[in-house]
Amino acid sequence: MELNDRKIQILQAIIMNYLETAEPVGSRTISRRLPLGLSSATIRNEMSDLEEMGLIVQPHTSAGRIPSTKGYRLYVDHLIGLTGSNKERFNSLRGMLSDKYLQLDSLMKEMGDILAELTKYTAIVAMPQFRKTRIKRLQLIPLNTHSMILVVITDGNIVRNNVIRTKHPVQAEDTYRMTDILNAHLAGSTIEGLDANVLAQIKQEMGADSTMMQGLLEAITNTLRYAENVDVFTSGATNILNFPEFSDIARARALMEVFQEKDKMLSLVDYDLKDDESMKITIGSENTIEQLKDCSVVTATYKYGGQNIGSISVVGPMRMDYDRVIGTLDYLVKDFQNMFEENHEEKKE
């Protein structure tokens, strides 16, 4: 079935009307909104085709239609029209930041607060640490013949203890020798230093079995990742509760709990962009977090001096004002470094 211009116009009208009202859209509403001169019956036929194509759905037997995840995806990827008003919004945001002397991290937090205020959605800011955590020291302590404790100490003095299992018996004196081998190869290393060649050399010198090596690798890797934790800040968490989609108390509570779980927030905003990408949009069922299946998430990453220094996500209902959110984030991403430098230059004068 062909998606012709008339169907596209009707789909756009459904999306825009649903964005404004949060109510299912009927054929009469479409006929009043579009200057197509079509009868309600013709529009109903076109809507039936759009439903068959999976672009709209009928939530109730007697109701109109609402956009599906697939319909929103088509709209975001091909139909959205960014306007000049976005530049005005960005200039307004610049003005709100211009009187604040900010470092990079505080600038990101302030952007999150302002985005939540401007969009009326929830903003999530993630900022990784700029340095790579290194291993300071490793220590193996015998527990019994088939297990030992690995103590990992990072250069930030983070200490974590991990139980390591072995297939073959290990004597207490063996752990001292193994400790020396681990420190000789890994002290001062970052997570990138745990390459296959180094690990193979350690395994050979220690005479370690595969179970033990897997345990050592997981323990060391998890410790380094924990030490290189990302700070996550949420702004306007309750904004999303103002939308009728989340009037159900149980659904609202589940969503608020997600915003308080750091691991889930990290999985939401932590992703790798391709070279030609500056933004990622996930809609409805595309989200891997169950509580966000009724939400859309727009995430932009920021680079400063060629380094990825963080990201900002905007979370809202699927009937999000994509034009407004994408436009604002697009200008911010493209001009982030200039904005930060100008902010500091003005304070120096």
Side-chain angles (χ1 to χ4, degrees):
M1 189 179 299
E2 181 185 359
L3 185 65
N4 55 33
D5 289 342
R6 189 162 71 184
K7 286 185 176 63
I8 288 174
Q9 290 184 60
I10 291 174
L11 175 62
Q12 285 182 301
I14 291 172
I15 290 175
M16 297 309 297
N17 198 84
Y18 187 62
L19 188 154
E20 296 165 4
T21 67
E23 295 290 337
V25 185
S27 57
R28 286 188 178 182
T29 301
I30 299 300
S31 64
R32 289 194 297 267
R33 190 176 188 112
L34 290 180
L36 295 177
L38 301 176
S39 67
S40 293
T42 300
I43 293 175
R44 281 196 297 272
N45 288 334
E46 295 286 14
M47 291 172 70
S48 295
D49 289 345
L50 289 170
E51 187 173 5
E52 188 176 338
M53 297 168 73
L55 297 172
I56 60 176
V57 295
Q58 188 174 21
H60 306 291
T61 303
S62 60
R65 269 68 164 185
I66 66 174
S68 67
T69 296
K70 183 178 178 182
Y72 280 120
R73 173 54 62 191
L74 177 69
Y75 174 72
V76 167
D77 289 346
H78 302 291
L79 306 181
I80 195 167
L82 302 180
T83 64
S85 61
N86 289 308
K87 189 170 184 178
E88 296 175 6
R89 297 182 195 124
F90 180 58
N91 289 336
S92 173
L93 192 150
R94 266 191 169 196
M96 297 170 78
L97 290 170
S98 63
D99 61 344
K100 301 176 184 294
Y101 185 77
L102 300 168
Q103 298 298 320
L104 279 173
D105 56 349
S106 56
L107 177 64
M108 296 281 289
K109 296 178 195 175
E110 192 70 26
M111 282 184 175
D113 291 340
I114 294 173
L115 275 172
E117 180 182 344
L118 290 178
T119 63
K120 307 305 180 187
Y121 301 129
T122 299
I124 300 168
V125 178
M127 293 175 294
Q129 297 180 0
F130 293 104
R131 65 176 182 83
K132 284 291 183 182
T133 300
R134 296 181 179 275
I135 297 170
K136 185 176 182 180
R137 179 163 176 78
L138 300 159
Q139 179 72 50
L140 284 170
I141 301 172
L143 194 58
N144 55 51
T145 56
H146 285 277
S147 61
M148 64 192 81
I149 296 174
L150 173 67
V151 181
V152 183
I153 306 173
T154 72
D155 57 354
N157 289 323
I158 290 176
V159 180
R160 299 195 85 181
N161 300 324
N162 310 267
V163 176
I164 308 298
R165 310 287 180 186
T166 65
K167 288 182 180 179
H168 308 295
V170 176
Q171 303 303 318
E173 56 269 22
D174 293 331
T175 62
Y176 308 137
R177 178 181 59 83
M178 291 177 175
T179 293
D180 290 340
I181 294 171
L182 286 172
N183 284 296
H185 287 284
L186 297 179
S189 295
T190 63
I191 197 168
E192 287 81 5
L194 306 177
D195 63 55
N197 291 332
V198 172
L199 295 174
Q201 183 68 25
I202 292 173
K203 182 177 181 180
Q204 180 180 356
E205 292 183 19
M206 290 176 58
D209 56 55
S210 57
T211 299
M212 180 179 178
M213 283 305 301
Q214 182 178 351
L216 289 170
L217 179 60
E218 288 179 357
I220 295 170
T221 300
N222 290 339
T223 300
L224 291 175
R225 284 178 177 161
Y226 175 83
E228 290 182 350
N229 212 348
V230 178
D231 289 327
V232 181
F233 303 91
T234 303
S235 300
T238 59
N239 284 354
I240 202 167
L241 301 183
N242 295 324
F243 296 92
E245 291 93 328
F246 304 98
S247 58
D248 179 80
I249 294 176
R251 179 182 295 180
R253 183 185 295 115
L255 191 58
M256 290 301 100
E257 288 174 355
V258 168
F259 290 152
Q260 295 173 13
E261 295 181 33
K262 191 170 184 178
D263 288 345
K264 287 189 176 180
M265 289 298 92
L266 285 175
S267 69
L268 179 68
V269 300
D270 184 22
Y271 66 92
D272 294 324
L273 286 169
K274 298 176 182 177
D275 291 339
D276 59 346
E277 286 183 321
S278 61
M279 198 173 299
K280 179 183 179 182
I281 304 168
T282 54
I283 301 171
S285 58
E286 297 172 358
N287 289 298
T288 57
I289 299 174
E290 181 63 31
Q291 294 89 334
L292 295 179
K293 296 296 185 182
D294 295 320
C295 299
S296 287
V297 184
V298 183
T299 301
T301 58
Y302 295 80
K303 293 185 182 295
Y304 186 79
Q307 185 177 15
N308 187 344
I309 55 89
S311 65
I312 292 184
S313 296
V314 176
V315 182
M318 281 200 290
R319 62 183 185 92
M320 170 189 288
D321 187 344
Y322 295 95
D323 189 346
R324 182 183 188 88
V325 173
I326 295 171
T328 302
L329 284 178
D330 185 57
Y331 276 103
L332 284 173
V333 168
K334 290 179 178 177
D335 209 29
F336 175 80
Q337 183 164 328
N338 291 337
M339 183 172 63
F340 176 74
E341 290 176 347
E342 288 173 10
N343 185 273
H344 279 252
E345 288 300 321
E346 289 173 2
K347 295 301 178 182
K348 292 177 182 178
E349 294 176 356

